Amino acid sequence: MSKANSTETRQHEDEHARGSAHGAAGDRLSTAPREERPDTGAGVPAMSVTGWVRWFWRQLTSMRVALILLFLLSLGAIPGSLIPQTSVDDMKVQAFKDQHPTLTPVYEKLQLFDVYSSVWFSAIYILLFLSLIGCIVPRTGQFVGQLRSRPPGAPKRLTRLPAYTTWRTDAEPEAVRAAALAVLRKRRFRTDEAGDAVAAEKGYLREAGNLVFHIALIVMLVAFASGQLFKSEGGKLVVEGDGFSNTLTQYDDFRSGSLYDSDSLAPFSFVLDDFVGTYEKSGPQRGTPRTFEARVTYTGGAEGAERKGVIKVNEPLVVDGTKVYLIAHGYAPVVTVRDGKGKVVSRSAVPLLPIDNNITSSGAIKVMDGYKDKKGVKTQLGFKAFFVPTFAGHGQGQMFSQFPGLDFPVLALSAYHGSLGVDSGLAQNVYQLDTSKMKEFKDKDGELLKKLLMPGEKLELSGGAGSITFEGVEEWASFQISQQPGNGWALGGAVAAIAGLAGSLFIQRRRVWVRAVRGADGVTVVEMAGLGRSESAKLPEELGDLSAALVTTAPVAPAAAPEEPDESDAPDEPGTTDATNEAGSRPVHLAEAPVEGAEK
């Protein structure tokens, strides 16, 4: 009974020693910061302010907290994608507020209309930035130290490692070790010979990929921050034949970062020569755009030469680091307004805003100056305009367009006169007509004067007040002009992050030891063992390939005459493979459980 207890006690001590040795050696395969666990005894004194600061820093720089912050940053970006943002489109934000009066106060308090500049999003952003720096700096130092150090010496008992093989050979131990050095160096292992064994290590790109991934995240964060601080972005609607010069006064709307300097606007200009839009005319894809491009003549710099260019969707024009994107298209009916004496008061192409996929458009035509009524009194004219590029025809219900192309253009006008309200000093939407201070022109039935016009037709104003003629149709294109300096860095960081992540996932850090010693009978005993940072089925295969390469220099010695079995003979360990390796030696096997290190 005592013998059994003694055997069991030795087994427990052996397992404890093996686990401690594996953990000690396995720790050296990783550059992850070691977590210091405080003593949980009853007599632990209260931490000082410095202690709390250190504790907070350790928590902030842990990988767990970094992942949590990255997840929170992803969640925080969701409202910025679903809710209209002030920095992108003020009109959409105002429309959302008008439609949701109950949610608007809540969203404003939570800063959901300005997510990316909000206090809470900035806090997550800054904490993630600090957390990544705190993770990377110590790990980089440890990794550099590992690169400069030699591979660790062979453990005392190689049989305890996850992958192991052995054989006997007549070659000298020195020759076996020299051959092992050559084989391992040929396979790009870092090698070192210490005592009776050769140590080799490979897979440093795994940790390098991990560091590159985290550094790339910092680069992306910096690029995003610089892009928000130094960016400029504005919109401009240009009718065919008109142009744009990159100055603040030329923009319809303009937004910039808090550190942006308007003097840094790139000096360039362009003219919209022609907009070309073609559409599928039949089948289930009828009305789908086939050609959608703006042909322009642009000039780079103050005295640059004129050049031709084509701007397409997702194919911007790039001038001096500034990108000009094509974002929208529509029609601008050309109308001529005359007074009661037949004098031309106004002739212009008036852009109208599309309200559906077939470019049914609405807007307003305003005559602010130059018109006098029949009494010679200066007044203003206003027309509500509704345009369809392909009219469905009378008797087809409400006026709408059947096709986005200019197959049957029709313009519907309603006429007013009075004050447009533009002299009040308040901003006014150019696509809407404020009729609060205007009077209707009446037809012969006393109703609002309105009419459907085809190109060449005109609407006579009642009382001999003049006329408005629908001359034809021009096309317009809307452009977004943006300058965002961090885009290149963000793209480079994203590519580097993907490459680093791939390296950290698919490259395995492993070590190999080869020991060659002369046995008691004068025959050299060769042992090979391998240890990986994580469990992998490829480690025994790689060790088998190495042993097969080494056995050409250290061939297996002829087997000795069989001896009588004794008590020391035992069956193969659990997990041993049934097939003998190519060297004809003891099979490469896996230990019962994956381990991280081995006893020295």
Side-chain angles (χ1 to χ4, degrees):
M1 184 70 176
S2 61
K3 183 177 180 181
N5 290 338
S6 176
T7 302
E8 184 177 353
T9 301
R10 283 198 303 272
Q11 289 177 349
H12 283 298
E13 292 176 351
D14 221 19
E15 292 176 0
H16 178 73
R18 185 186 343 184
S20 300
H22 288 165
D27 287 342
R28 296 188 59 191
L29 279 174
S30 173
T31 61
R34 295 180 178 83
E35 183 177 356
E36 298 179 4
R37 298 183 180 275
D39 185 9
T40 58
V44 177
M47 285 194 297
S48 62
V49 175
T50 304
W52 278 109
V53 171
R54 289 177 178 174
W55 176 86
F56 177 78
W57 179 252
R58 284 197 301 269
Q59 298 302 315
L60 180 62
T61 56
S62 66
M63 188 59 62
R64 177 178 62 254
V65 172
L67 292 174
I68 292 174
L69 290 172
L70 190 61
F71 178 69
L72 290 177
L73 193 70
S74 302
L75 288 180
I78 293 176
S81 303
L82 301 179
I83 301 174
Q85 298 296 293
T86 304
S87 60
V88 177
D89 195 328
D90 291 332
M91 295 182 63
K92 285 187 177 180
V93 172
Q94 188 58 48
F96 183 91
K97 291 180 178 180
D98 294 340
Q99 295 174 5
H100 304 86
T102 305
L103 289 177
T104 295
V106 178
Y107 282 10
E108 287 179 340
K109 289 183 179 179
L110 295 176
Q111 297 179 296
L112 295 183
F113 295 116
D114 298 279
V115 167
Y116 302 112
S117 59
S118 64
V119 174
W120 55 269
F121 190 86
S122 300
I124 298 173
Y125 187 89
I126 294 172
L127 287 175
L128 178 60
F129 188 81
L130 294 175
S131 177
L132 289 174
I133 292 178
C135 287
I136 289 172
V137 172
R139 297 187 71 165
T140 301
Q142 294 177 19
F143 181 61
V144 172
Q146 290 184 0
L147 289 177
R148 299 177 63 182
S149 64
R150 296 180 178 180
K156 184 177 180 181
R157 300 181 182 179
L158 294 178
T159 55
R160 292 181 174 180
L161 296 185
Y164 173 83
T165 186
T166 183
W167 72 92
R168 293 157 55 87
T169 180
D170 292 330
E172 295 295 325
E174 294 78 6
V176 175
R177 290 193 290 270
L181 283 170
V183 170
L184 292 169
R185 287 172 180 170
K186 187 176 181 181
R187 304 290 180 94
R188 297 188 300 277
F189 278 84
R190 290 177 63 236
T191 59
D192 182 54
E193 185 175 4
D196 59 0
V198 172
E201 194 167 12
K202 192 177 183 181
Y204 283 95
L205 288 179
R206 179 188 181 95
E207 187 61 28
N210 194 16
L211 294 174
V212 167
F213 172 75
H214 288 86
I215 293 173
L217 288 182
I218 291 181
V219 171
M220 293 173 65
L221 290 175
V222 172
F224 178 79
S226 64
Q228 292 298 311
L229 293 173
F230 297 98
K231 75 173 182 178
S232 69
E233 187 175 85
K236 179 63 177 178
L237 186 150
V238 183
V239 180
E240 288 177 330
D242 292 341
F244 167 79
S245 180
N246 194 27
T247 59
L248 285 179
T249 56
Q250 288 281 299
Y251 283 93
D252 295 334
D253 60 88
F254 184 81
R255 299 172 296 275
S256 63
S258 57
L259 299 181
Y260 182 77
D261 183 4
S262 59
D263 293 336
S264 61
L265 284 172
F268 72 91
S269 61
F270 68 86
V271 174
L272 178 60
D273 299 325
D274 185 28
F275 182 89
V276 179
T278 60
Y279 308 89
E280 186 68 36
K281 291 186 174 294
S282 61
Q285 298 295 321
R286 186 174 187 271
T288 302
R290 293 301 179 219
T291 304
F292 204 77
E293 60 186 37
R295 298 173 181 176
V296 300
T297 300
Y298 68 96
T299 302
E303 298 179 357
E306 290 188 350
R307 287 176 286 182
K308 297 290 185 179
V310 177
I311 306 175
K312 301 179 181 179
V313 178
N314 297 325
E315 295 183 18
L317 173 69
V318 182
V319 184
D320 293 337
T322 301
K323 295 183 178 181
V324 182
Y325 293 90
L326 174 63
I327 59 174
H329 158 258
Y331 294 107
V334 180
V335 295
T336 300
V337 178
R338 294 178 173 85
D339 60 14
K341 297 180 180 180
K343 178 184 175 181
V344 175
V345 176
S346 171
R347 186 180 190 280
S348 61
V350 182
L352 303 180
L353 290 183
I355 59 176
D356 61 22
N357 291 333
N358 286 329
I359 319 186
T360 301
S361 307
S362 66
I365 300 173
K366 302 177 183 181
V367 180
M368 294 177 281
D369 298 306
Y371 176 79
K372 295 180 181 180
D373 61 15
K374 59 184 178 181
K375 297 181 180 180
V377 178
K378 289 184 178 181
T379 187
Q380 296 174 331
L381 300 179
F383 302 88
K384 288 184 178 180
F386 199 83
F387 175 78
V388 290
T390 302
F391 184 43
H394 294 284
Q396 300 297 323
Q398 187 177 6
M399 182 176 176
F400 66 95
S401 177
Q402 291 183 319
F403 188 73
L406 285 172
D407 290 351
F408 187 6
V410 172
L411 176 64
L413 295 176
S414 303
Y416 299 81
H417 64 95
S419 175
L420 292 170
V422 295
D423 299 327
S424 63
L426 299 176
Q428 194 178 80
N429 191 330
V430 297
Y431 303 104
Q432 293 180 352
L433 184 65
D434 182 6
T435 61
S436 60
K437 298 181 180 181
M438 304 192 78
K439 297 180 180 179
E440 299 176 349
F441 280 103
K442 302 294 185 178
D443 60 14
K444 59 183 180 179
D445 298 325
E447 301 292 334
L448 172 65
L449 179 64
K450 53 186 176 180
K451 186 178 181 181
L452 300 182
L453 303 177
M454 290 186 290
E457 297 182 345
K458 66 180 178 179
L459 169 65
E460 294 285 351
L461 301 179
S462 56
S467 65
I468 179 170
T469 305
F470 178 25
E471 306 286 358
V473 182
E474 298 284 355
E475 298 188 62
W476 60 260
S478 181
F479 300 93
Q480 177 179 292
I481 300 95
S482 64
Q483 184 178 5
Q484 202 155 10
N487 284 347
W489 285 98
L491 177 60
V495 173
I498 294 174
L501 184 62
S504 64
L505 291 177
F506 298 110
I507 298 175
Q508 184 190 17
R509 182 89 173 271
R510 65 270 194 199
R511 289 171 178 162
V512 173
W513 292 275
V514 181
R515 174 175 286 136
V517 296
R518 194 179 301 278
D521 56 356
V523 179
T524 301
V525 178
V526 182
E527 291 182 290
M528 293 186 69
L531 173 65
R533 180 173 178 177
S534 58
E535 183 180 5
S536 174
K538 293 184 178 181
L539 182 61
E541 297 177 7
E542 186 174 30
L543 192 67
D545 293 339
L546 291 172
S547 64
L550 183 58
V551 81
T552 58
T553 303
V556 178
E563 299 179 357
E564 293 294 329
D566 54 25
E567 294 181 357
S568 63
D569 292 333
D572 291 338
E573 298 180 21
T576 302
T577 58
D578 295 331
T580 303
N581 62 25
E582 297 180 23
S585 59
R586 174 177 169 179
V588 178
H589 70 277
L590 291 173
E592 294 182 18
V595 294
E596 287 286 337
E599 179 182 345
K600 293 295 182 72

